[in-house]
Amino acid sequence: MPFVLFRTSFYDRVSGPTCLISCLWPCGWFCDCIERKEKMEKSNSTSSGILRTKSDQLVETVMAALKSPAASSDAPGGAETTGGGSGVLSRKSSKRLATAASPGRSGGSTSKNTHIRKSRSAQLKLDVDEVSSGAALSRASSASLGFSFSFTGFVPPDEVADMMPFSDDDMIPEDLEAGTRKMKIQAEPTLPIYLKFTEVTYKVILKGMTSTVEKDILNGISGSVSPGEVLALMGPSGSGKTTLLSLLGGRLREPTPGGLVTYNDQPYSKFLKSRIGFVTQDDVLFPHLTVKETLRYAALLRLPKTLAKEEKEKRAIDVICELGLERCQDTMIGGSFVRGVSGGERKRVCIGNEIIINPSLLFLDEPTSGLDSTTALRIVEILHDIAEAGKTVITTIHQPSSRLFHKFDKLILLGKGSLLYFGKASEAMVYFSSIGCSPLIAMNPAEFLLDLANGNINDVSIPSELEDKVQMENSEAETRNGKPSPAVVHEYLVEAYETRVADDEKKKLMVPLPIEEELKSKMHTSKREWGASWWEQFSILFRRGLKERRHDYFSWLRITQVLTTAVILGLLWWQSDSDSPKDLRDQAGLLFFISVFWGFFPVFTAIFTFPQERAMLNKERAADMYRISAYFVARTSSDIPLDLLMPVLFLVIVYFMAGLRKSAGPFFLTMLTVFLCIVAAQGLGLAIGATLMDLKRATTLASVTVMTFMLAGGYFVKNVPVFISWLRYLSFNYHTYKLLLKVQYGNITPAVDGVKIDSCLTEVCALLAMVVGYRLLAYLSLRRRKL
């Protein structure tokens, strides 16, 4: 039988609203209650002589129904009996009832949903104290009452049968952005890692035109974090948060930082690369891959070899479910020019990329930047779920809301690279109040702490020590409108922490961890653990490269460019002849243009390969996802199938429109020659890009190189001086042009425009040497770079 949710309100003319009762009524039972109410009114008026209002009778009827076994049997689990015997609906039960009454949650048909109000704010409240004491009844009978029913909606019986009271800890979190319920993250047990850092310092060297200056970024930062805790690094911009996070995550090794950082009382080793997840501030993802593909490739590359391919793919699906990404799993990530998922979903994909390996340590650089407060809260709740599985979570945070601030276990407050506070986040306000700094108005604790770190003491009480210091010095440099300057405030906060807290915290850090020697020994190993063999890495990266770059290669702009050029060439050399020397020279010009076009085009395409993927390469190599050799071979070979489709289309149009030799042999040899030229030109572009890793400089160098190779190609200048004639042997245009002439006129004439028509072996060997040589140079340049 369906249930109807009513809200009954009583209004006192003198004292206003006195009681609000919301009840869950069986539809058939409601009429019986009205009749019972009228009978009780008559009997009570004759027996006791006390006149009662209908509202009094209704309240008594409601209380009797809630106490009676019939009511409890009609609505199982809907009420909870207290010590006074009154039926009370728990807060969590009311939330479930609100959910059941919502159209989005209801499992009923469309006809039932039409009766359901769209509001999800239906709440069941019952003031037990007032009802049990009779205060509400006495006030209700003392004056005339306003009586109203507010229809809220029908609740299906199968939903009501589920309404068992439960506690706050059992509440399943919701994906607030997607609007769908999701399960808590359930991760398998991981290796616990206790992180300690003592007197950590870091300096950078700034090289100017005439001098070199050292700048201090971190000044003696100490702290610790244990498995199951979330440590937040807070501070204004430029305070050293990201530098400290990168240093603790093993991402900054040079110049050598000072101090001591230990993992289970052991120094950093390459073993930790597979145990650390690092989420950068910028979302470094491939824009044309979907969410599912991104996490699937990460699982195949990073999870251990001991797991089968099916198990790795299942883990990727589990992470999608855990992070509430089911709705967008088949949507492309997107980027600057590609529409994709939202900012919160993209950030969760970045987190999923790291938690997919079940890391012991998870570092996040401002994971809530650019997100609204609700999505940011959801991200922090995900971090808590991750920490509860025995992981150590460290994150930088930039001006969180008050709800976010209270969810952190530990807090480090930085100011200009110095430590202003380290300890429990819940005790931060108590500490600053103890040193005389407390807010004069109600404000967000995070906002208050960031104001202090910036030296801003507006609406903040000034400690007496600081006031005395300002009055004694009394100089314009130290005061501003009678208040201490930011530099003075910063100096006071640093000194206060060092004198009051720092020594005790350092003593705690010196105490050895009560952990087994086995855990310590695992931290000491320097052996790398690859998630896949070399061949598996190559095949995975090859498939990923094809899926990612097919959109760029088959864009309408590129296709239009190639087709337009082919048609123009075909019209200019329409059915050209090779009978006379003049016509043959005209065709030679066409062949030279083909060698130049398919030498120029691939160079400027390949130049962008490594500079554009630099951030992704740095990120994945830092996590030891694959060998650099497997990446290089897969990245360069995945371009070849895509690069060879356009020349086929180009040559089919030009070859037959221009009237070149109409037989199968010369046609396919011409195509193979163009293929060799493309692969050799690609190698040159890869070498330039990998050596410079800067698009502007690489484009400038490539322009000069290609122009030089074109001029030395043997078409414009026949008699090249000896001291510069060696350039033509490095030019792929020169060797391609000679090959095309030999293919077209091998049986017609012994020489064409000064080029001897002989064996093609020399040119083929030269082009093959360029294919290998330029790529080898690119690989060595890439490997020598410090990623």
Side-chain angles (χ1 to χ4, degrees), residues 284-335:
V284 183
L285 299 167
F286 285 113
H288 292 103
L289 295 181
T290 64
V291 171
K292 183 188 292 184
E293 289 171 346
T294 300
L295 294 175
R296 179 175 173 271
Y297 287 130
L300 293 175
L301 287 169
R302 302 189 69 179
L303 290 176
K305 295 180 183 179
T306 54
L307 297 178
K309 180 182 177 181
E310 293 76 14
E311 293 176 316
K312 293 182 178 182
E313 292 178 346
K314 183 180 180 300
R315 175 59 180 161
I317 299 300
D318 291 343
V319 170
I320 289 175
C321 297
E322 289 166 358
L323 297 178
L325 296 170
E326 301 97 324
R327 187 183 65 172
C328 62
Q329 60 181 339
D330 296 319
T331 306
M332 284 196 301
I333 297 295

Side-chain angles (χ1 to χ4, degrees), residues 727-741:
L727 277 175
R728 65 171 56 185
Y729 300 107
L730 299 177
S731 170
F732 43 80
N733 300 120
Y734 173 72
H735 298 292
T736 305
Y737 175 54
K738 289 183 67 175
L739 270 178
L740 290 175
L741 290 177

Side-chain angles (χ1 to χ4, degrees), residues 56-70:
D56 290 326
Q57 296 295 332
L58 180 59
V59 170
E60 292 182 358
T61 306
V62 171
M63 294 305 302
L66 287 174
K67 292 180 182 180
S68 65

Side-chain angles (χ1 to χ4, degrees), residues 411-448:
L411 173 70
I412 284 182
L413 182 64
L414 297 176
K416 298 180 182 179
S418 300
L419 186 60
L420 305 183
Y421 175 76
F422 166 68
K424 293 182 179 179
S426 57
E427 298 176 359
M429 299 297 290
V430 177
Y431 163 74
F432 283 103
S433 297
S434 68
I435 63 173
C437 298
S438 56
L440 298 177
I441 61 174
M443 65 171 64
N444 180 357
E447 183 181 354
F448 165 73

